[in-house]
Amino acid sequence: MTRTKTMAWVGGALYLLAVGLLVGGAPRASGTVHGVGALLAASLLVGVVRRVPLLALAMALFGATAVVVGPTGSARASLSASYQGEFLSYLAVDLVVGLIVATCARRASIVAVTGSLIVQLLVISGFSHGDNLTVNIVIALLATAAACMGGLLSRERREHALALRSQEVAEAVIAERLRIARELHDMVAHSIGIIAIQAGAASQVIRTRPTEAGEALRAIEVTSRETLSGLRRTLVALRQADPGAPASGNGAALAPSPGLADIDRLVAATADAGVRVDVRRSGEERALPADVDLSAFRIVQEALTNVVRHAGTGRCRVLIDYGDEELSVEVVDDGRGANGNGADHGLGLGLGLGLVGMRERVALLYGDFSAGPRPEGGFRVTARLPLPEPAGVPVEAR
C-alpha cells in the first residue's frame, strides 16, 4: 500500500516536471507538439487519479492551462485563429472528468465537470475572438459532454453488473434455503410419522402387552436418535459453510448423505411402524450421482411416510429400475387413504408439502414425476430421474 502511494505521488511530480519542460524548454515548438506532449504526460497521473481523483483533475487542469497560455509569439497567434493543437492537452482533462463521473459520488462529479468547464471557457475566451470563440466554446462543451456520457455509461454498466451479481447471490441463497427446507421436511416428516405410529401403538398395549409396548418405545428411541443425528449433521454442515463460525467442539465427522443403499434401513423402520415394504430392483445397479441418489432416497422416504400415515394398509411395494438412461422409482400401495380414497396422500406434516417437495426434487433434476390414486385402488408415486451412461453390473429383478 505504501509503495503504491509513493509511486502515485512520484508520477504526479513527474507530470509537473514534464509540463515545465514543455512550457520552458520548447517555447518555439508548434501548438500541436505542446498539446500532444501534455496529453502523453498526463499518463503519469494514473496513480493520483486512482487515489485522489479531484486532485488529479486539478493537476491536469493546471498542466493543460500552462501548456496553452505558456508559449508566446506564434503559438498565441495560432490560438487566436482556431481551436489549435495546444488544446489537445485538455483531452486529458476530459478523460479525468469522465473517470470521476464513472467512479465518484454525484457531488464530486458535479464539482469536476463545473470546474473543468469554467477553466476551459476562461482560457478559450482569452485567446479566441469572433466566430472562432463560438466554435471553440462549442468544441469544448461537446468534448466535456462526451466525457460525461462515457462516464455515465461506464457507471451504469458497473451498477448493472453489481445488481446482477447481487441477484445471483440472492437466488443462490434462496435455492439453498429451499434445499435445506426439503431435507429437513423429508427427514422430520418421516421420523415424526414413525414416532407417532409407535407411540399410539405403545399407549394402547402398555397395560395388556408390555413386551410389545417396550418394542414400540425402543423403536421410538432409535428413530429419535437417528433423526437427531441427521439434524446434527445438517447443522454442523451449515456452521462449517460459514467461515466465521467457530469450529465444532465435539469434532463430529460429517456422515455421507443417504442414498438407495440405505433403503433397507428405511424399510426396517417402516416395518416397525406396521407397514411391510416389498422392495424390487431391476436393471444395472451402479453408483449414481449424489444428487440423484439422495433425491431417489428422499422420494421413497416421503412416499413411505405417507403410506404409514394415510394409506390405512399394512403393505406396499417399492420398485427401483436402473434403466440405461434414467432411474425409475415407484411406490405403490393398495390402501384407502385417510378419507377412504387416498386423497390425503402426500400431505407431509399436514402442510401439503410432501408431494410438492418430491415434485421439486424431480424438477431440479429435469425428470418426470407423477402421483395419484390408482383405478384399482390405492396410490402410486412415480419418479423418473435422468442418469449418466451406465457403468455397473446387472442386477436380477427380485
Side-chain angles (χ1 to χ4, degrees):
M1 181 66 69
T2 303
R3 182 178 179 181
T4 303
K5 183 178 180 180
T6 302
M7 293 298 294
W9 294 122
V10 169
L14 291 176
Y15 172 75
L16 296 178
L17 178 61
V19 170
L21 292 175
L22 285 173
V23 174
R28 296 184 179 182
S30 66
T32 302
V33 170
H34 284 99
V36 173
L39 183 60
L40 294 176
S43 61
L44 298 170
L45 291 175
V46 171
V48 183
V49 170
R50 291 178 177 177
R51 299 186 64 84
V52 193
L54 290 180
L55 177 60
L57 176 64
M59 295 176 68
L61 280 171
F62 171 79
T65 303
V67 169
V68 170
V69 303
T72 58
S74 61
R76 290 196 176 187
S78 63
L79 279 171
S80 62
S82 63
Y83 198 72
Q84 291 292 337
E86 280 82 350
F87 285 95
L88 286 173
S89 57
Y90 280 115
L91 289 179
V93 174
D94 293 330
L95 291 176
V96 176
V97 169
L99 181 62
I100 292 176
V101 172
T103 59
C104 297
R106 183 185 299 272
R107 183 176 180 180
S109 300
I110 293 175
V111 170
V113 173
T114 304
S116 174
L117 276 177
I118 289 175
V119 172
Q120 291 189 55
L121 293 178
L122 287 176
V123 172
I124 292 172
S125 63
F127 290 92
S128 300
H129 305 283
D131 294 338
N132 291 330
L133 175 63
T134 303
V135 172
N136 293 340
I137 289 177
V138 170
I139 293 175
L141 292 175
L142 289 177
T144 303
C148 292
M149 289 299 297
L152 289 174
L153 290 175
S154 178
R155 175 190 289 272
E156 291 181 359
R157 187 181 299 109
R158 187 178 66 256
E159 292 176 350
H160 181 65
L162 290 174
L164 287 179
R165 284 197 292 270
S166 299
Q167 183 179 357
E168 291 175 356
V169 171
E171 291 176 352
V173 170
I174 293 174
E176 183 64 12
R177 288 177 177 175
L178 290 176
R179 185 190 68 80
I180 295 172
R182 284 194 296 269
E183 286 295 311
L184 293 178
H185 169 267
D186 292 345
M187 184 188 308
V188 175
H190 174 77
S191 301
I192 294 300
I194 298 297
I195 291 173
I197 296 295
Q198 296 287 5
S203 66
Q204 292 180 4
V205 301
I206 191 169
R207 295 182 182 276
T208 58
R209 289 175 287 180
T211 302
E212 294 183 8
E215 293 178 355
L217 292 175
R218 282 191 293 272
I220 290 174
E221 179 184 5
V222 171
T223 303
S224 301
R225 290 183 183 277
E226 290 179 352
T227 303
L228 288 175
S229 178
L231 291 175
R232 187 179 296 110
R233 289 196 301 268
T234 301
L235 293 177
V236 169
L238 291 176
R239 289 178 64 84
Q240 289 187 351
D242 182 5
S248 176
N250 56 14
L254 293 178
S257 299
L260 293 180
D262 301 294
I263 287 293
D264 292 338
R265 177 178 57 82
L266 183 62
V267 167
T270 306
D272 290 339
V275 178
R276 180 182 175 184
V277 182
D278 180 18
V279 180
R280 300 180 182 179
R281 297 179 176 88
S282 62
E284 294 184 359
E285 189 173 3
R286 56 190 181 273
L288 300 174
D291 51 353
V292 175
D293 201 20
L294 174 62
S295 295
F297 176 84
R298 292 303 188 195
I299 290 168
V300 174
Q301 183 184 51
E302 179 64 26
L304 292 181
T305 299
N306 293 329
V307 172
V308 171
R309 299 184 62 191
H310 307 298
T313 182
R315 59 185 302 121
C316 69
R317 298 186 303 278
V318 175
L319 309 176
I320 303 174
D321 179 30
Y322 293 83
D324 292 338
E325 298 180 354
E326 66 180 15
L327 174 73
S328 177
V329 176
E330 184 177 81
V331 181
V332 181
D333 68 71
D334 55 359
R336 52 179 175 79
N339 60 3
N341 61 3
D344 287 341
H345 273 72
L347 294 181
L349 291 180
L351 299 176
L353 300 178
L355 291 179
V356 173
M358 287 188 278
R359 195 179 302 277
E360 287 178 350
R361 286 184 179 277
V362 175
L364 288 174
L365 297 174
Y366 304 100
D368 296 321
F369 177 81
S370 64
R374 299 191 301 161
E376 63 272 26
F379 204 84
R380 175 186 287 110
V381 172
T382 303
R384 293 183 174 85
L385 307 175
L387 283 179
E389 291 298 324
V393 295
V395 177
E396 298 295 336
R398 60 182 187 271

